[in-house]
Amino acid sequence: MDVISTVRQMQEYAEHLRCSGKKIGFVPTMGYLHAGHLSLIQRGHPLCSAMVVSIFVNPAQFAPGEDFEAYPRNFDRDRELLEAEKVDILFYPDTHELYPQGFQTCVNLDKLPKHLCGLSRPVFFGGVATVVTKLFHIVKPHVALFGEKDYQQLMVIRRMVFDLNMDIQIVGCPTVREPDGLAMSSRNAYLTAEQRPAALTLCRSLERAGQMLAAGVSEAHRLIGAAKQIITSYSNTHIDYISICDPETLEEMERVDRSALMALAVKVGTTRLIDNRILSP
Ligand code: AMP
């Protein structure tokens, strides 16, 4: 595996790959890799002939006071994991390489960021859309893979790629979970053993909503109410949002009379966790 840390070298490499007929697959990450990240690489391999993974903790998607500095990092371990997954190129730029002095261009979407995580993290999706656009121009992928765990992010990327006519196939991949159901996340590393049962209330409340729906309860407020009850039974939780919404527009739905997204964000101690599932009547 080659490790590349400059934009120029990565662009030249990508151009060379394209000219020699290779199909470039791309998985952007912030590192501290787990089985969720690796599943995207495994899903991508049959779709491409050269696999590029990036590790970049993107300061533009963190607001002041969020965990940019504290975000877990372990480059040596990540590199070993990527070698084992037969990744061809690891793109690992530093902050200055992607945001040199004078940087002032941003990609923003109008509507999708006005829901769910965008409400409590108003700079987040602009930061994501901007860095992913930059990475797409640098890595020049034919296909890029993103996790459904970050459902709203996946929708933002799909919309952006469509709106800006980027010639890239976007592939969404299912959420990989710990054996107990907790959605894998680099931020799970922040959780103490005592916080773990509280963290499990996210997936448990999604499951409960699925069961209630199967039993004929379709009013969103009742499904959300049951989820709230499960989550607030632990005193170290703070609900950011629980939403039942249209899976495309993310606009709230009152009743699950067609396919709906149930998404939630909960702080356990100081760790903000998200999870979601599709509810089908
Ligand atoms: P991150 O490093 O958190 O920015 O995530 C990089 C990519 O991995 C994103 O497309 C995420 O949606 C995806 N991802 C993160 N956690 C999971 C998971 N548990 N299952 C599947 N994909 C994931």
Side-chain angles (χ1 to χ4, degrees), residues 27-31 33-37 39-40 61 71 145-151 153 173-177 183-187:
V27 175
T29 82
M30 298 206 298
L33 303 177
H34 51 67
H37 296 114
S39 75
L40 307 190
Q61 68 193 60
Y71 196 83
L145 299 105
F146 292 85
E148 289 168 1
K149 193 219 144 211
D150 301 277
Y151 185 95
Q153 169 174 281
C173 303
T175 302
V176 176
R177 297 176 180 279
M184 287 194 182
S185 162
S186 306
R187 288 192 171 97

Side-chain angles (χ1 to χ4, degrees), residues 97-156:
E97 184 68 15
L98 284 204
Y99 298 106
Q101 186 130 40
F103 185 88
Q104 55 181 293
T105 306
C106 286
V107 178
N108 280 301
L109 288 84
D110 245 3
K111 295 197 182 110
L112 284 173
K114 299 209 168 104
H115 302 279
L116 310 181
C117 289
L119 296 176
S120 52
R121 304 188 74 191
V123 302
F124 179 72
F125 288 109
V128 167
T130 301
V131 82
V132 171
T133 299
K134 285 169 67 64
L135 290 167
F136 282 174
H137 284 124
I138 296 164
V139 173
K140 310 182 192 186
H142 297 85
V143 51
L145 299 105
F146 292 85
E148 289 168 1
K149 193 219 144 211
D150 301 277
Y151 185 95
Q152 189 175 12
Q153 169 174 281
L154 174 60
M155 288 300 115
V156 162

Side-chain angles (χ1 to χ4, degrees), residues 117-248:
C117 289
L119 296 176
S120 52
R121 304 188 74 191
V123 302
F124 179 72
F125 288 109
V128 167
T130 301
V131 82
V132 171
T133 299
K134 285 169 67 64
L135 290 167
F136 282 174
H137 284 124
I138 296 164
V139 173
K140 310 182 192 186
H142 297 85
V143 51
L145 299 105
F146 292 85
E148 289 168 1
K149 193 219 144 211
D150 301 277
Y151 185 95
Q152 189 175 12
Q153 169 174 281
L154 174 60
M155 288 300 115
V156 162
I157 304 292
R158 282 196 195 285
R159 187 76 237 173
M160 174 186 87
V161 162
F162 183 82
D163 287 351
L164 299 183
N165 309 102
M166 297 177 177
D167 189 13
I168 301 170
Q169 181 194 352
I170 302 300
V171 177
C173 303
T175 302
V176 176
R177 297 176 180 279
E178 302 283 358
D180 58 11
L182 181 66
M184 287 194 182
S185 162
S186 306
R187 288 192 171 97
N188 291 350
Y190 298 144
L191 296 171
T192 63
E194 296 77 57
Q195 289 172 336
R196 184 106 186 166
L200 281 177
T201 59
L202 280 85
C203 60
R204 277 181 45 219
S205 51
L206 294 172
E207 252 168 56
R208 181 83 188 109
Q211 289 161 354
M212 287 174 71
L213 184 65
V217 179
S218 63
E219 298 96 326
H221 74 91
R222 287 181 65 190
L223 301 171
I224 290 172
K228 271 189 187 151
Q229 223 172 21
I230 292 172
I231 294 164
T232 54
S233 68
Y234 287 85
S235 60
N236 54 353
T237 56
H238 174 82
I239 296 171
D240 179 358
Y241 66 81
I242 305 175
S243 172
I244 292 180
C245 59
D246 182 285
E248 297 296 319

Side-chain angles (χ1 to χ4, degrees), residues 18 52 55 170 214 221:
R18 278 186 166 251
V52 183
I55 295 179
I170 302 300
H221 74 91

